[in-house]
Amino acid sequence: MHLLNLGILAHVDAGKTSLTERLLHTVGVIDEIGSVDTGSTQTDTLALERQRGITIKSAVVSFPVDDVTVNLIDTPGHPDFIAEVERVLGVLDGAVLVVSAVEGVQAQTRVLMRTLRRLRIPTLVFVNKIDRRGARDTDVVRALSERLSAAVVPMGRTTGLGTREAGFTPGLDPGALDVLADHDDALLSAYIEDAVGHDLLRAALVAQTRQAHVHPVYFGSAMTGAGVPALISGIRELLPAADGDPDGPVSGTVFKVERGPAGEKIAYARMFSGTLRTRDRIAFGEDGREDTVTGISVFDRGTHSRDDAVAAGRIARLWGLADIRIGDPIGVPRKPYGHFFAPPTLETVVVPGRGTDTRALHVALTQLAEQDPLIDLRYDEVRREISVSLYGEVQKEVVQATLADEYGLDVAFRETTPLCVERPAGTGEAVEFNKKDANPFLATVGLRVDPAPAGAGVAFELEVELGAMPNAFFKAVEDTVRETLGQGLHGWQVTDCTVTMTHSGYSPRQSHAHQGFDKSMSSTGADFRGLTPLVLIEALRRAGTHVYEPMHRFRLEAPVDTLGALLPVLAALRAVPQTTDTRGGSCVLEGAVPAAQVHGLEQRLPGLTRGEGELESAFDHYAPIARGTVPERTRTDHNPLNRKEYLLNVTRRVGG
């Protein structure tokens, strides 16, 4: 049995979930096509998804195509839920990118295609809605090639475009040879010698699609079914089957976690190698946690059923792994779980409503964070406030509705604020020695902070001998460094720096005669965890930090005669147009705008452009705060910026 784990991705409202329904109906898995509008689809099962008509959580459904079993994963299209898409990408064998024939290439289309190409995931393109008024074919293909910088191969031609009778006739486009020859020297030679036959051309198409060099483009309509049989044939023929040795060592990746009716965790995992069985005790996570698998269900013909085992290539739901988290490897780690998209750039404080218990709210938000790690909860013990990070306002509404519907908790939110970052302005060093000056900890820690290039993240290095003290103490320092950098001099996460340990020292294990280990005379990990924040913050203080705010790249299309009203508003929102292109009666502006101002621009745009303005935006970079007061973020740690306060909070051995 051949397996294919297939992702369906698209900009919101391109018809992705409708296409999923049509695929299931065409292959005979369902008798009646569900409707997004009525909330009767196979994959949008959450009440909130059905109310809003959008996909919020990824969902898996299986169907057969001849001798191939396809596990289809429907993903959210709205950019606020890009984290759901990110987790799915690491488990795919191939993808279908859905594009609307009416709206064409949109902001999320570009973000998704760039990522699919960077990860070299074989991808077919399905241009949907050819039956809708305003549908285009050649213009969309041109936009796919130019705006996505992708090598695309149309797989046929449309008829009756823009009408209910719109259809798709399969057949390789005459220009396919030129596109394929760019990536195949043998094909190019045969082309020059006029010796290219159909079989050679088809073989080149299959090979280059599976290598993610080219992207076949199909046209059709999820509503009428036009073009869908051709797409199904393309899925079977052009995309690679899942590989993996079922007799090899067990290795898999968790891409989704949900809770069952009894509150138990259910992990969705893609198996890359080996066979996992019920009652197997398995290691998972980077730290090698272990637990016993108590139940397995696999996907088959539109549903999932219990099984005793799951083999390489398949996707399964697993019970019994109580501490499992999204991104955890199962068994032998395959590769580190990476982030493909930008992190959330907004933050808000959750305000409990009347009668809402704060402890119950914390538990509920913690469970939501298990399902979406990028929510990133922050709890301020002093103010008893919980903050969550977000991608946008829609996500905030979904969190609010989920807390109300699933947990019975009434909440509101404070104004959304941007999530800034800090970067070191220069180099700074600090050191505190064991048993010297006012150091109350039995430890010596010296640290140097150096700036690193933008996007480098945080690196920890040693300038001391590894054998100078037990490894556990070095680990305690590194872990505490990374934790402490979560709140810099202004309270924001510190990134793009290298922290080097320059000094180390400890008090060896000591004991009184005929007595046990004496902590008052011997260093412990707690000494290094306690001292490191003081040293690191002092090094940061000497280096200095700059605060950077998140910036979005925007593309705004509006009637030319509305620019007079639009430009002053853009200036007031600190949006900076960098390119202007006039096309007939329309003008396209591209530039940068602070993430904090995007929602305000979206709200004002219809009134400024008579409802004709179209805005696309996505996170692009961080920029230094250019004017005004540097924003401060309330600290939730023990405040190592204030030595006396910190020591009172951390230890009873207050010295100085």
Side-chain angles (χ1 to χ4, degrees):
M1 176 182 64
H2 294 292
L3 292 165
L4 169 63
N5 296 298
L6 178 73
I8 302 286
L9 299 91
H11 186 98
V12 67
D13 288 336
K16 173 177 45 58
T17 300
S18 297
L19 176 60
T20 299
E21 290 292 307
R22 177 60 67 175
L23 288 169
L24 295 176
H25 181 266
T26 302
V27 298
V29 168
I30 57 176
D31 296 326
E32 185 176 344
I33 295 176
S35 166
V36 173
D37 294 333
T38 61
S40 57
T41 61
Q42 295 290 306
T43 52
D44 286 350
T45 55
L46 297 179
L48 193 58
E49 291 178 314
R50 293 180 167 178
Q51 291 167 16
R52 298 188 64 106
I54 60 173
T55 303
I56 296 170
K57 295 290 184 183
S58 58
V60 182
V61 64
S62 180
F63 63 86
V65 180
D66 296 333
D67 60 340
V68 178
T69 295
V70 178
N71 288 323
L72 188 151
I73 309 177
D74 185 17
T75 63
H78 198 286
D80 281 14
F81 308 106
I82 194 68
E84 280 289 317
V85 180
E86 175 177 272
R87 292 188 280 274
V88 167
L89 291 177
V91 304
L92 297 182
D93 303 306
V96 173
L97 180 65
V98 184
V99 179
S100 167
V102 180
E103 288 83 10
V105 173
Q106 297 171 277
Q108 191 78 341
T109 316
R110 295 201 298 272
V111 171
L112 292 169
M113 180 56 99
R114 278 200 305 266
T115 307
L116 289 165
R117 294 183 65 212
R118 186 168 75 247
L119 298 176
R120 303 193 66 77
I121 296 174
T123 302
L124 310 182
V125 179
F126 184 73
V127 180
N128 191 24
K129 303 183 182 180
I130 63 170
D131 58 321
R132 293 269 298 275
R133 182 181 299 176
R136 299 162 295 149
D137 49 10
T138 54
D139 287 347
V140 174
V141 171
R142 187 181 305 112
L144 288 169
S145 178
E146 295 176 357
R147 296 183 65 187
L148 301 183
S149 302
V152 295
V153 178
M155 297 298 293
R157 59 184 180 83
T158 61
T159 56
L161 194 65
T163 69
R164 288 291 294 176
E165 290 71 38
F168 177 70
T169 304
L172 267 180
D173 185 90
L177 180 55
D178 292 332
V179 176
L180 294 169
D182 284 343
H183 303 277
D184 188 328
D185 290 341
L187 185 63
L188 180 60
S189 298
Y191 181 22
I192 294 171
E193 296 169 5
D194 196 23
V196 178
H198 177 271
D199 291 345
L200 180 61
L201 194 62
R202 199 74 188 181
L205 175 66
V206 172
Q208 293 189 34
T209 302
R210 293 180 177 181
Q211 294 164 4
H213 291 319
V214 301
H215 307 287
V217 181
Y218 295 84
F219 295 85
S221 167
M223 297 304 295
T224 67
V228 173
L231 174 65
I232 292 173
S233 296
I235 290 171
R236 181 189 177 281
E237 179 188 4
L238 301 177
L239 295 179
D243 57 7
D245 180 4
D247 298 321
V250 172
S251 178
T253 299
V254 174
F255 65 91
K256 177 179 177 178
V257 173
E258 65 182 19
R259 287 188 178 265
E264 75 280 16
K265 278 190 181 180
I266 305 172
Y268 286 66
R270 156 76 191 268
M271 301 304 298
F272 291 98
S273 173
T275 300
L276 184 63
R277 296 176 173 83
T278 305
R279 308 309 306 169
D280 279 355
R281 188 164 183 84
I282 191 71
F284 58 89
E286 299 296 339
D287 52 0
R289 302 183 301 278
E290 287 191 1
D291 216 331
T292 300
V293 176
T294 59
I296 295 173
S297 73
V298 296
F299 295 88
D300 187 33
R301 296 193 65 84
T303 185
H304 50 83
S305 57
R306 291 282 184 152
D307 206 332
D308 294 330
V310 55
R314 302 202 73 166
I315 289 175
R317 304 201 307 164
L318 309 176
W319 282 261
L321 308 179
D323 295 325
I324 199 77
R325 295 192 295 258
I326 288 172
D328 277 349
I330 293 177
V332 179
R334 185 167 169 266
K335 61 180 179 181
Y337 181 76
H339 293 305
F340 312 128
F341 301 107
T345 57
L346 302 172
E347 184 177 54
T348 186
V349 174
V350 184
V351 181
R354 181 176 297 178
T356 295
D357 182 71
T358 54
R359 287 171 297 181
L361 176 59
H362 191 271
V363 170
L365 285 170
T366 300
Q367 290 187 1
L368 290 183
E370 290 173 352
Q371 300 170 32
D372 186 352
L374 293 180
I375 283 182
D376 189 25
L377 300 183
R378 295 179 79 243
Y379 183 61
D380 186 338
E381 294 182 4
V382 176
R383 294 168 181 78
R384 298 186 179 278
E385 293 178 346
I386 305 173
S387 300
V388 296
S389 54
L390 303 165
Y391 279 98
E393 296 297 318
V394 172
Q395 188 182 12
K396 185 162 68 173
E397 295 170 18
V398 168
V399 170
Q400 184 180 37
T402 303
L403 290 172
D405 296 345
E406 297 185 14
Y407 298 92
L409 300 174
D410 176 36
V411 302
F413 297 94
R414 291 197 192 145
E415 183 183 1
T416 303
T417 57
L419 267 174
C420 300
V421 298
E422 292 182 51
R423 290 174 176 154
T427 296
E429 291 187 68
V431 61
E432 295 214 20
F433 294 97
N434 186 7
K435 301 177 182 177
K436 286 189 178 181
D437 302 321
N439 179 7
F441 301 101
L442 294 178
T444 293
V445 174
L447 298 170
R448 183 178 69 247
V449 177
D450 295 297
V458 174
F460 181 78
E461 298 181 354
L462 296 177
E463 278 187 1
V464 294
E465 293 287 341
L466 255 181
M469 62 181 188
N471 285 338
F473 294 163
F474 285 116
K475 182 74 163 56
V477 172
E478 179 176 358
D479 289 348
T480 308
V481 162
R482 296 186 183 279
E483 181 182 346
T484 304
L485 289 176
Q487 301 181 66
L489 303 183
H490 299 279
W492 304 103
Q493 180 179 3
V494 181
T495 187
D496 300 333
C497 64
T498 300
V499 179
T500 304
M501 189 168 186
T502 58
H503 296 76
S504 66
Y506 73 109
S507 295
R509 185 183 181 94
Q510 298 183 43
S511 60
H512 297 288
H514 310 297
Q515 295 181 9
F517 173 49
D518 188 346
K519 287 185 179 180
S520 68
M521 303 168 60
S522 313
S523 298
T524 66
D527 287 296
F528 288 90
R529 288 190 292 272
L531 180 59
T532 297
L534 288 173
V535 177
L536 180 57
I537 287 295
E538 181 57 31
L540 270 178
R541 201 194 312 260
R542 294 175 182 179
T545 64
H546 293 312
V547 176
Y548 291 71
E549 65 178 330
M551 301 292 291
H552 279 221
R553 182 89 185 162
F554 76 85
R555 181 182 185 276
L556 196 161
E557 186 168 353
V560 171
D561 62 354
T562 64
L563 285 182
L566 193 57
L567 291 174
V569 173
L570 290 175
L573 295 174
R574 295 192 290 129
V576 181
Q578 294 163 342
T579 63
T580 306
D581 182 18
T582 302
R583 303 172 183 173
S586 295
C587 184
V588 177
L589 304 176
E590 294 190 8
V593 60
Q597 306 296 341
V598 171
H599 185 57
L601 181 55
E602 289 173 339
Q603 290 181 313
R604 299 187 64 177
L605 189 62
L608 294 167
T609 62
R610 302 189 297 272
E612 298 179 45
E614 295 181 5
L615 176 68
E616 302 173 2
S617 76
F619 172 80
D620 189 64
H621 66 283
Y622 288 95
I625 300 292
R627 62 188 184 194
T629 306
V630 174
E632 301 282 335
R633 190 189 196 197
T634 303
R635 302 193 75 87
T636 59
D637 59 8
H638 294 304
N639 192 18
L641 284 170
N642 183 320
R643 185 183 184 90
K644 185 174 181 179
E645 177 186 337
Y646 175 82
L647 291 175
L648 284 170
N649 285 328
V650 171
T651 179
R652 296 181 183 277
R653 300 184 199 158
V654 180

